[in-house]
PDB file of all heavy atoms in Angstrom:
ATOM      1  N   PRO A  37     -38.511  -8.472 -23.010  1.00 35.00           N
ATOM      2  CA  PRO A  37     -38.292  -8.947 -21.647  1.00 35.00           C
ATOM      3  C   PRO A  37     -38.110 -10.459 -21.608  1.00 35.00           C
ATOM      4  O   PRO A  37     -38.702 -11.199 -22.399  1.00 35.00           O
ATOM      5  CB  PRO A  37     -39.579  -8.531 -20.921  1.00 35.00           C
ATOM      6  CG  PRO A  37     -40.164  -7.440 -21.752  1.00 35.00           C
ATOM      7  CD  PRO A  37     -39.770  -7.764 -23.169  1.00 35.00           C
ATOM      8  N   LEU A  38     -37.303 -10.927 -20.678  1.00 36.00           N
ATOM      9  CA  LEU A  38     -37.113 -12.348 -20.500  1.00 36.00           C
ATOM     10  C   LEU A  38     -38.403 -12.999 -20.022  1.00 36.00           C
ATOM     11  O   LEU A  38     -39.166 -12.413 -19.259  1.00 36.00           O
ATOM     12  CB  LEU A  38     -36.017 -12.613 -19.456  1.00 36.00           C
ATOM     13  CG  LEU A  38     -34.590 -12.274 -19.861  1.00 36.00           C
ATOM     14  CD1 LEU A  38     -33.663 -12.488 -18.686  1.00 36.00           C
ATOM     15  CD2 LEU A  38     -34.154 -13.151 -21.020  1.00 36.00           C
ATOM     16  N   ALA A  39     -38.625 -14.229 -20.452  1.00 35.00           N
ATOM     17  CA  ALA A  39     -39.818 -14.964 -20.035  1.00 35.00           C
ATOM     18  C   ALA A  39     -39.565 -15.663 -18.702  1.00 35.00           C
ATOM     19  O   ALA A  39     -39.575 -16.884 -18.591  1.00 35.00           O
ATOM     20  CB  ALA A  39     -40.208 -15.975 -21.120  1.00 35.00           C
ATOM     21  N   ILE A  40     -39.309 -14.892 -17.682  1.00 35.00           N
ATOM     22  CA  ILE A  40     -39.090 -15.430 -16.343  1.00 35.00           C
ATOM     23  C   ILE A  40     -39.870 -14.580 -15.363  1.00 35.00           C
ATOM     24  O   ILE A  40     -40.180 -13.429 -15.637  1.00 35.00           O
ATOM     25  CB  ILE A  40     -37.595 -15.443 -15.962  1.00 35.00           C
ATOM     26  CG1 ILE A  40     -36.912 -14.155 -16.402  1.00 35.00           C
ATOM     27  CG2 ILE A  40     -36.886 -16.622 -16.500  1.00 35.00           C
ATOM     28  CD1 ILE A  40     -35.430 -14.142 -16.155  1.00 35.00           C
ATOM     29  N   PRO A  41     -40.249 -15.150 -14.206  1.00 36.00           N
ATOM     30  CA  PRO A  41     -41.099 -14.424 -13.264  1.00 36.00           C
ATOM     31  C   PRO A  41     -40.443 -13.138 -12.785  1.00 36.00           C
ATOM     32  O   PRO A  41     -39.233 -13.054 -12.623  1.00 36.00           O
ATOM     33  CB  PRO A  41     -41.263 -15.418 -12.111  1.00 36.00           C
ATOM     34  CG  PRO A  41     -40.980 -16.764 -12.700  1.00 36.00           C
ATOM     35  CD  PRO A  41     -39.955 -16.518 -13.756  1.00 36.00           C
ATOM     36  N   ASP A  42     -41.288 -12.115 -12.547  1.00 39.00           N
ATOM     37  CA  ASP A  42     -40.804 -10.862 -12.007  1.00 39.00           C
ATOM     38  C   ASP A  42     -40.267 -11.082 -10.598  1.00 39.00           C
ATOM     39  O   ASP A  42     -40.813 -11.830  -9.823  1.00 39.00           O
ATOM     40  CB  ASP A  42     -41.947  -9.842 -11.979  1.00 39.00           C
ATOM     41  CG  ASP A  42     -41.469  -8.445 -11.625  1.00 39.00           C
ATOM     42  OD1 ASP A  42     -40.257  -8.265 -11.442  1.00 39.00           O
ATOM     43  OD2 ASP A  42     -42.326  -7.554 -11.543  1.00 39.00           O
ATOM     44  N   SER A  43     -39.190 -10.430 -10.285  1.00 43.00           N
ATOM     45  CA  SER A  43     -38.613 -10.499  -8.942  1.00 43.00           C
ATOM     46  C   SER A  43     -37.843  -9.216  -8.722  1.00 43.00           C
ATOM     47  O   SER A  43     -37.045  -8.821  -9.557  1.00 43.00           O
ATOM     48  CB  SER A  43     -37.670 -11.695  -8.798  1.00 43.00           C
ATOM     49  OG  SER A  43     -36.907 -11.577  -7.613  1.00 43.00           O
ATOM     50  N   ARG A  44     -38.050  -8.593  -7.595  1.00 52.00           N
ATOM     51  CA  ARG A  44     -37.379  -7.323  -7.346  1.00 52.00           C
ATOM     52  C   ARG A  44     -35.885  -7.525  -7.173  1.00 52.00           C
ATOM     53  O   ARG A  44     -35.129  -6.578  -7.222  1.00 52.00           O
ATOM     54  CB  ARG A  44     -37.982  -6.642  -6.122  1.00 52.00           C
ATOM     55  CG  ARG A  44     -39.427  -6.233  -6.334  1.00 52.00           C
ATOM     56  CD  ARG A  44     -39.997  -5.554  -5.119  1.00 52.00           C
ATOM     57  NE  ARG A  44     -39.415  -4.240  -4.945  1.00 52.00           N
ATOM     58  CZ  ARG A  44     -39.597  -3.503  -3.861  1.00 52.00           C
ATOM     59  NH1 ARG A  44     -40.319  -3.953  -2.869  1.00 52.00           N
ATOM     60  NH2 ARG A  44     -39.048  -2.307  -3.766  1.00 52.00           N
ATOM     61  N   ALA A  45     -35.457  -8.752  -6.930  1.00 81.00           N
ATOM     62  CA  ALA A  45     -34.034  -9.016  -6.776  1.00 81.00           C
ATOM     63  C   ALA A  45     -33.478  -9.807  -7.951  1.00 81.00           C
ATOM     64  O   ALA A  45     -32.429 -10.432  -7.845  1.00 81.00           O
ATOM     65  CB  ALA A  45     -33.774  -9.756  -5.463  1.00 81.00           C
ATOM     66  N   LEU A  46     -34.179  -9.782  -9.074  1.00 92.00           N
ATOM     67  CA  LEU A  46     -33.723 -10.517 -10.250  1.00 92.00           C
ATOM     68  C   LEU A  46     -32.351 -10.035 -10.695  1.00 92.00           C
ATOM     69  O   LEU A  46     -31.485 -10.825 -11.052  1.00 92.00           O
ATOM     70  CB  LEU A  46     -34.734 -10.320 -11.382  1.00 92.00           C
ATOM     71  CG  LEU A  46     -34.641 -11.239 -12.589  1.00 92.00           C
ATOM     72  CD1 LEU A  46     -34.890 -12.679 -12.204  1.00 92.00           C
ATOM     73  CD2 LEU A  46     -35.650 -10.797 -13.642  1.00 92.00           C
ATOM     74  N   LEU A  47     -32.151  -8.732 -10.671  1.00 97.00           N
ATOM     75  CA  LEU A  47     -30.866  -8.142 -11.015  1.00 97.00           C
ATOM     76  C   LEU A  47     -30.507  -7.165  -9.898  1.00 97.00           C
ATOM     77  O   LEU A  47     -31.344  -6.381  -9.452  1.00 97.00           O
ATOM     78  CB  LEU A  47     -30.943  -7.406 -12.350  1.00 97.00           C
ATOM     79  CG  LEU A  47     -29.613  -6.902 -12.927  1.00 97.00           C
ATOM     80  CD1 LEU A  47     -28.738  -8.077 -13.352  1.00 97.00           C
ATOM     81  CD2 LEU A  47     -29.858  -5.970 -14.114  1.00 97.00           C
ATOM     82  N   SER A  48     -29.267  -7.235  -9.435  1.00 97.00           N
ATOM     83  CA  SER A  48     -28.868  -6.362  -8.337  1.00 97.00           C
ATOM     84  C   SER A  48     -27.443  -5.877  -8.537  1.00 97.00           C
ATOM     85  O   SER A  48     -26.689  -6.414  -9.354  1.00 97.00           O
ATOM     86  CB  SER A  48     -29.009  -7.083  -6.991  1.00 97.00           C
ATOM     87  OG  SER A  48     -28.327  -8.321  -6.987  1.00 97.00           O
ATOM     88  N   VAL A  49     -27.110  -4.844  -7.781  1.00 98.00           N
ATOM     89  CA  VAL A  49     -25.774  -4.252  -7.833  1.00 98.00           C
ATOM     90  C   VAL A  49     -25.073  -4.591  -6.530  1.00 98.00           C
ATOM     91  O   VAL A  49     -25.586  -4.332  -5.439  1.00 98.00           O
ATOM     92  CB  VAL A  49     -25.850  -2.730  -8.024  1.00 98.00           C
ATOM     93  CG1 VAL A  49     -24.454  -2.126  -8.045  1.00 98.00           C
ATOM     94  CG2 VAL A  49     -26.594  -2.398  -9.315  1.00 98.00           C
ATOM     95  N   ALA A  50     -23.892  -5.169  -6.633  1.00 98.00           N
ATOM     96  CA  ALA A  50     -23.196  -5.692  -5.468  1.00 98.00           C
ATOM     97  C   ALA A  50     -22.802  -4.601  -4.487  1.00 98.00           C
ATOM     98  O   ALA A  50     -22.464  -3.484  -4.891  1.00 98.00           O
ATOM     99  CB  ALA A  50     -21.950  -6.459  -5.907  1.00 98.00           C
ATOM    100  N   PRO A  51     -22.820  -4.922  -3.197  1.00 97.00           N
ATOM    101  CA  PRO A  51     -22.251  -4.000  -2.215  1.00 97.00           C
ATOM    102  C   PRO A  51     -20.748  -3.916  -2.400  1.00 97.00           C
ATOM    103  O   PRO A  51     -20.067  -4.934  -2.494  1.00 97.00           O
ATOM    104  CB  PRO A  51     -22.615  -4.646  -0.867  1.00 97.00           C
ATOM    105  CG  PRO A  51     -22.797  -6.098  -1.180  1.00 97.00           C
ATOM    106  CD  PRO A  51     -23.327  -6.155  -2.585  1.00 97.00           C
ATOM    107  N   MET A  52     -20.223  -2.697  -2.473  1.00 96.00           N
ATOM    108  CA  MET A  52     -18.787  -2.499  -2.690  1.00 96.00           C
ATOM    109  C   MET A  52     -18.286  -1.411  -1.739  1.00 96.00           C
ATOM    110  O   MET A  52     -18.757  -0.271  -1.797  1.00 96.00           O
ATOM    111  CB  MET A  52     -18.510  -2.118  -4.145  1.00 96.00           C
ATOM    112  CG  MET A  52     -18.818  -3.211  -5.144  1.00 96.00           C
ATOM    113  SD  MET A  52     -18.578  -2.712  -6.885  1.00 96.00           S
ATOM    114  CE  MET A  52     -20.118  -1.814  -7.194  1.00 96.00           C
ATOM    115  N   ILE A  53     -17.367  -1.783  -0.875  1.00 93.00           N
ATOM    116  CA  ILE A  53     -16.815  -0.839   0.094  1.00 93.00           C
ATOM    117  C   ILE A  53     -16.166   0.337  -0.639  1.00 93.00           C
ATOM    118  O   ILE A  53     -15.425   0.151  -1.611  1.00 93.00           O
ATOM    119  CB  ILE A  53     -15.810  -1.538   1.019  1.00 93.00           C
ATOM    120  CG1 ILE A  53     -16.537  -2.567   1.896  1.00 93.00           C
ATOM    121  CG2 ILE A  53     -15.071  -0.535   1.898  1.00 93.00           C
ATOM    122  CD1 ILE A  53     -15.619  -3.385   2.790  1.00 93.00           C
TER     123      ILE A  53
END
Side-chain angles (χ1 to χ4, degrees):
L38 290 175
I40 42 184
D42 189 2
S43 167
R44 295 181 71 190
L46 194 63
L47 188 68
S48 53
V49 179
M52 294 177 280
I53 294 176

